[in-house]
Amino acid sequence: MLIAVLAGLIVSILYIPFGKYLKGRLAILASLLPISLFAYFASFIPAIQAGRDIHFHQPWVPSLGVNFDFHLDGLSLLFSLLITGIGSLVFLYAAPYLKGHRYLDRFYAYLSLFMAAMLGVVLSDNVLLLFIFWELTSISSFFLIGFNNDNAASRKSSLIALGVTGGGGFLLMAGLILMGHLSGSYSIQEMLGTNEFLKNHALYGLILLLVFAGAFTKSAQFPFHFWLPGAMKAPTPVSAYLHSATMVKAGVYLLARLQPVLGGTDYWMYPLVAIGGITMLYSAFHSIFRTDLKSILAYSTVAALGMLVFLIGIGTSESLLAASVFILVHALYKASLFLTAGVIDHETGTRDITQLSGLRKVLMPLSIAGLLAALSSAGLPLTFGFIGKDLIYEATLHTTGILTIVLTALAVLTNALLLCAGFLAGIRPFTGTLPGHFSQVHLPHGLLWGAPLLLAVLGVVFGCAPWLVDGALLNPAAQAMHQSAIDSPLKLWHGFNLVLLLSGVTLALGTLLYFFRKPSAASLASIERYNTMSPKHVIGQLARFARKISIKYTRTLHNGYLRVYLLCIIVAAILLFAARLVTGGPIRLTIDNLSPVAIYEVVVAAILIAAVYITVTASSRLTVVVATSVLGYCVCLLFVFYSAPDLAMTQFSIDTLTVVLFVLVLFRLPPFLNFANRKIRIRDGLVASAFGLIIALIAIQVLNQPVDQEISQFYGDNAYTLAKGKNVVNVILVDFRGLDTMFEIVVLSIAAIGVVSLLKLRLKATEKE
């Protein structure tokens, strides 16, 4: 399993130097990776079907509980096969779809990276490892959604998607760490043994809130759903892959995986059922008003995700089996419809369904794919969607009380709306009269219509022969969520019962909607009038308000003046130190066992005071540099007086070097300018005095504390024996804390390079003038 994830990561890196050679027919070779991985995961089907889970463990950072722990069971196998199977078709489809694109190699690199990240998410047993891959999916999807980076709308959509999913990921990280800390392990399989402890803990509600935030943002649940329709600015292969079978189902996968750990309580059930129900009805309603093919599919995808969250929230064996079936049903028909929409756009130049009709006459194989996918989405008998829809109704009917009526009605209404949306996307463009300007449209490359046709045909094959995937994939997936055997084999026919009646009602309602509700620009405008109340608008307003505050904050505190930065830092330090002094107990103003003051110390102190006065009053830069150097050398003398010659030598070297550098830099700067007036000097004097007073008080408190010589004794005893150095300070800097020093040098080097670059730019600008 680790090999599968690493293969995707390595191949994505290899595309950088070698991807430019994948042009023309050679681009098809990019699909070898997902095809090979699909075959690899398919080889585990017999073991999973027999009830044997596969586990892989490799220590990584064991001290922090972070290990390469991978676990393959029915649920992760289902997702792995979807990721690699549909990924294989998308890789093949992208070769002719993006033929001649100058960034095709970059596209395949991003797609491979995303596939590897998704595999990492669904295979990880360690929640910290899962989070790392979770964030990697957000980053790689950011690159894919914004692939057309010369388009402002694409760039904006990718930023919104990254902002929403990244923010949710941050909260999810807190939830996962909290779960691991409380359960004593970051392994999901080990958390199963402490699930009752977690559910009864006082922080259980907080854990759910954080986990829900991560899952809802990733799987576009209300009110965070708006990023997914906006992400349709991505190329169609990206939409088909990310938004039908993979990324948007990551949140659903997380909820399904944590169902046995956190589920089974009212706090788990009611929020998921409520949010899932609102999302699926709201988005299904919006889907029938859209006129853009990808927009219709985007909103219907959000509705399908809401349906899955809704089913996981119910949490019964019937609902979890329905969820596992619907995951596969939706992936098959939605990927097919997305790929079909991509071909229509590719050949006609438009996705507007008010302008598309009669395309069956020129794109017959594609029309068959669209028809079969639409029928599966509608849940017509002999399609896989029919079985999935029946199981959804079985799940809602097995609830109790008023919930049975409410949830069943909600499911029927949503499915009817989704039927209409599926017909709009899969059937409407191919029916009616072919416009004259589309008469030149021709059947494209076989991979472009072959991929959606294959997926649509599978939806019919699995509908007619559900036993092909029942025991091998779907039942093990449901058992992984339920953590117990589910003896409910999929059947073509369950007899005449209430479920069949509800299916008939759904078909009738959806078909009537399709024939009597015609999408148009006017109807879309009527629904857009209420955008001011939409979550997207509200969150957008909050974002704009935050931006205004940020601009004011930046212009006030980050205005480009170093003296303002220093003032802010010092004032903040004064407040923090003062708060600590006030809350830290009685403040002592005397020092016990203070050594007598020698005359030479008084002389050095007087020189220090004189140097400070000259520094703040001088009008010459050179005078200021000399005065500050005197300050440094006086401090060196104090180190010598108090038996720290090694520290004094280090300070002397640094001060000397600093003075030289100051003189060299100041030599190039313009004459001394006075930016301060009397008020500014008084303000700075008060701030400096307050800071000095605070530091003096802190020093007095520290000197009155018991002295622990253990650390200094260690360095003194081991400086020579371990590091072969007699200067303890130098040994600490270059040996004991050598890594810190190295990074400090790196930071200073980068800063120096930046300064030199700015000076060169200034000199060039001066020369041009």
Side-chain angles (χ1 to χ4, degrees), residues 717-728:
D717 294 341
N718 295 283
Y720 185 76
T721 56
L722 295 181
K724 303 299 184 287
K726 296 181 179 180
N727 187 319
V728 177

Side-chain angles (χ1 to χ4, degrees), residues 478-630:
Q479 290 182 27
M481 289 186 270
H482 198 253
Q483 288 295 299
S484 62
I486 298 178
D487 186 18
S488 180
L490 303 182
K491 297 179 182 178
L492 285 173
W493 179 253
H494 291 268
F496 292 98
N497 52 22
L498 182 56
V499 171
L500 183 64
L501 176 62
L502 292 173
S503 292
V505 171
T506 302
L507 289 171
L509 283 176
T511 305
L512 287 173
L513 268 175
Y514 172 69
F515 282 109
F516 292 101
R517 167 100 214 15
K518 304 294 182 184
S520 64
S523 63
L524 180 60
S526 67
I527 199 73
E528 293 286 355
R529 285 185 304 174
Y530 300 98
N531 264 356
T532 53
M533 296 183 291
S534 68
K536 179 180 179 180
H537 180 78
V538 173
I539 293 176
Q541 289 287 83
L542 292 174
R544 283 186 284 273
F545 175 74
R547 186 171 183 271
K548 289 180 181 178
I549 297 297
S550 300
I551 290 172
K552 288 184 178 180
Y553 163 80
T554 302
R555 288 177 177 173
T556 303
L557 300 181
H558 299 272
N559 54 11
Y561 293 102
L562 181 61
R563 60 181 180 275
V564 175
Y565 298 164
L566 290 174
L567 180 67
C568 293
I569 293 170
I570 293 172
V571 169
I574 290 172
L575 295 175
L576 289 174
F577 293 155
R580 181 67 184 88
L581 280 174
V582 171
T583 58
I587 299 175
R588 298 189 60 176
L589 300 178
T590 59
I591 303 174
D592 298 331
N593 302 320
L594 187 65
S595 61
V597 178
I599 185 62
Y600 50 80
E601 294 174 346
V602 174
V603 172
V604 171
I607 296 173
L608 274 170
I609 295 171
V612 168
Y613 176 78
I614 294 171
T615 300
V616 298
T617 58
S619 59
S620 167
R621 282 203 190 97
L622 188 58
T623 304
V624 171
V625 171
V626 172
T628 53
S629 68
V630 171

